[in-house]
Amino acid sequence: MAEYLIKNGFVFDPVLGINGDKKDIAIKDGKIVESVGASAKVIDAAGKTVMAGGVDIHAHVAGPKVNVGRWFRPEDKKQATYEPGRGVRRMSGGFSVPTVFKTGYEYANMGYTTVMEAAMPPFYARHVHEEMRDTPIIDQGAYPVFGNNWFVLEYLKNGELENTAAYIAWLLRMTKGYAIKCVNPGGTEAWGWGLNCTSVH
C-alpha cells in the first residue's frame, strides 16, 4: 500500500475550479484521497505547479513509419545521447525522431503521463506494442488504421454495415487497439494510381 503526500504545491484543477491555490495532495494506491497516514512519503512541491498529467491523444511514437524516419536520419545518432540521471547515458536517436527511450523521458519532462500512437498498421501491431512496452515512464495505447483497409472499403461500398462493424471489432481485438483511426479514406489506394479519392467507389 503506497501513500504519498505532495505538500505546498500550486494546484491547478479546472474541473474543481482550483486555479493555482497552495494545497496538499494526498495519494493512496494511485488515487487521490482526503488524507494519508503518518508514514506516507512526503514530496515537497514548494514553488512548483501540481496538476494532472497531460494526455497526447494523437502522436507518432512507435511502429514502422517512425522507424523509417529513424533510418533516414542516421546523422542524429552521431551526437545524441540522453542522460536520464545518475550518470546513465543512452543513445537517444537524435532530435527529429527519438528512440523510444528518449520519447518516454521527453514526454515525462513535459508533464505527460499518456501518449496514444495514432497510426498502427494491423500487420505491424506486435511491433508497435513491443516498442510501446520499451518506452519508459509513460502509458501508451494505439489506434489501428482503418481508412485504407480494403475490407472496410469493400463492405462500405456494398452497404454491408454489420460486416463492417464485425470486422472492425475483430481487428481492434486482434491488434489490441484502443480506437479507430480513419483518415483520408481510400486515399492510399487512389494515390498508388496517381489519382485523388473522390467517392467510396
Side-chain angles (χ1 to χ4, degrees), residues 8-25:
N8 306 316
F10 297 112
V11 178
F12 291 85
D13 185 342
V15 173
L16 297 177
I18 302 171
N19 190 23
D21 301 346
K22 195 171 183 181
K23 289 181 168 290
D24 296 345
I25 304 292

Side-chain angles (χ1 to χ4, degrees), residues 82 84-85 100-110 135-138:
Y82 191 77
V100 293
F101 182 81
K102 185 178 181 187
T103 295
Y105 278 93
E106 290 291 344
Y107 267 103
N109 282 337
M110 293 186 292
T135 304
I137 305 171
I138 57 174

Side-chain angles (χ1 to χ4, degrees), residues 6 10 16-17 21 34 40 50 53 57 60 77-78 80 82 120 128 131 165 167 191 195 199-200:
I6 304 172
F10 297 112
L16 297 177
D21 301 346
E34 289 293 323
V50 178
I57 64 168
H60 298 289
K77 294 180 178 67
K78 290 180 182 176
Y82 191 77
M120 176 173 63
V128 171
E131 287 196 345
Y167 175 72
W191 179 81
L195 303 171
S199 76
V200 74

Side-chain angles (χ1 to χ4, degrees), residues 40-162:
K41 180 177 180 179
V42 175
I43 299 170
D44 185 9
K48 296 182 170 51
T49 297
V50 178
M51 58 187 291
V55 177
D56 188 344
I57 64 168
H58 185 129
H60 298 289
V61 293
K65 78 275 171 208
V66 179
N67 285 320
V68 168
R70 291 179 182 131
W71 296 335
F72 285 122
R73 292 302 306 261
E75 65 273 18
D76 278 355
K77 294 180 178 67
K78 290 180 182 176
Q79 58 190 4
T81 56
Y82 191 77
E83 298 189 32
R86 296 186 303 277
V88 176
R89 289 174 63 85
R90 296 278 301 265
M91 185 176 75
S92 60
F95 304 98
S96 56
V97 189
T99 60
V100 293
F101 182 81
K102 185 178 181 187
T103 295
Y105 278 93
E106 290 291 344
Y107 267 103
N109 282 337
M110 293 186 292
Y112 283 85
T113 60
T114 307
V115 181
M116 302 303 290
E117 164 54 52
M120 176 173 63
F123 280 151
Y124 292 95
R126 285 186 179 188
H127 177 68
V128 171
H129 285 285
E130 178 183 47
E131 287 196 345
M132 290 191 307
R133 278 193 304 272
D134 284 346
T135 304
I137 305 171
I138 57 174
D139 293 323
Q140 289 183 282
Y143 311 145
V145 179
F146 285 97
N148 288 283
N149 184 291
W150 187 256
F151 290 103
V152 171
L153 294 174
E154 282 292 305
Y155 285 143
L156 291 175
K157 182 178 76 172
N158 297 327
E160 300 176 50
L161 297 183
E162 287 186 18

